[in-house]
Amino acid sequence: MSRTDEVVNGIKRMILEGSFKPGDRLPVEKDLAESLGVSRGSLREGMSALSILGIVNIRQGDGTYVTNLDAPQLLAPMGFVVDFQGQGDPRHIHTVRRLLECEAARLAATRITDEALAQAGALLDEAAQMVGQSPQDHERIIEIDIAFHRIIAVHAGNPVLGGLIEAFAGRTVRGRLWRSLHEEGADRRTHDEHVAILKALVARDPERARTRMANHLIGVEESLQGLPDDGDASLDTAARS
């Protein structure tokens, strides 16, 4: 094991044992290096790795702090795995997304708050006004799409599941935008499917919510058969914005 790994594992162990809690400021570099038995150079390398992992936040001139350790932040590095595995066929990513989000919808049906339902309803009301307009604001429609699904994921009551869904969400934007731009009537169908999902959530019906989510996401997967491998510059620019 390298010295850098010793730093990473040492800090993670201290957090798990309760020596450091979310938001805590870590000891100064000299003291921390001595307690871990490593050089200050190895400590810096280890802290950089921990920062990438979302475990610590290095504030120049202020010190190093343990992050809030929320699941979405800790799972964010998984995005690289998603990107790498999705290079060949984006439907692979969307299939996993479907498995995760169908379970989230089932769980959320009995956990989602009235306030969250109202927020989801307001998003769909906005989308309803935009669908069919010319010209159509496809990017805003996708933003609403992502926000709607995020509300469901957050209220599934499982932060790890929510974090996994969040890690996949950003990697499906390109496919969603391509569908919006190139498939006639896609935005209207998406909106109607979202309304059906919301109705199932309002009814507090877990199986109906899961089924409605599955129907929606299967349609998204099927539409990706026409997604070009190389895409186009305008689509990629919009997906990154």
Side-chain angles (χ1 to χ4, degrees), residues 68-77 158-164 166:
N68 57 14
L69 301 177
D70 67 321
Q73 184 171 2
L74 295 177
L75 289 167
N158 185 326
V160 176
L161 177 60
L164 288 170
E166 189 67 25

Side-chain angles (χ1 to χ4, degrees), residues 1-31:
M1 183 183 298
S2 71
R3 290 296 190 184
T4 300
D5 290 336
E6 288 181 15
V7 173
V8 171
N9 292 334
I11 296 298
K12 288 163 69 175
R13 184 179 62 254
M14 290 177 182
I15 292 172
L16 291 172
E17 292 174 349
S19 299
F20 300 131
K21 296 180 176 60
D24 281 355
R25 187 180 188 277
L26 297 183
V28 296
E29 187 177 88
K30 178 179 179 295
D31 293 343

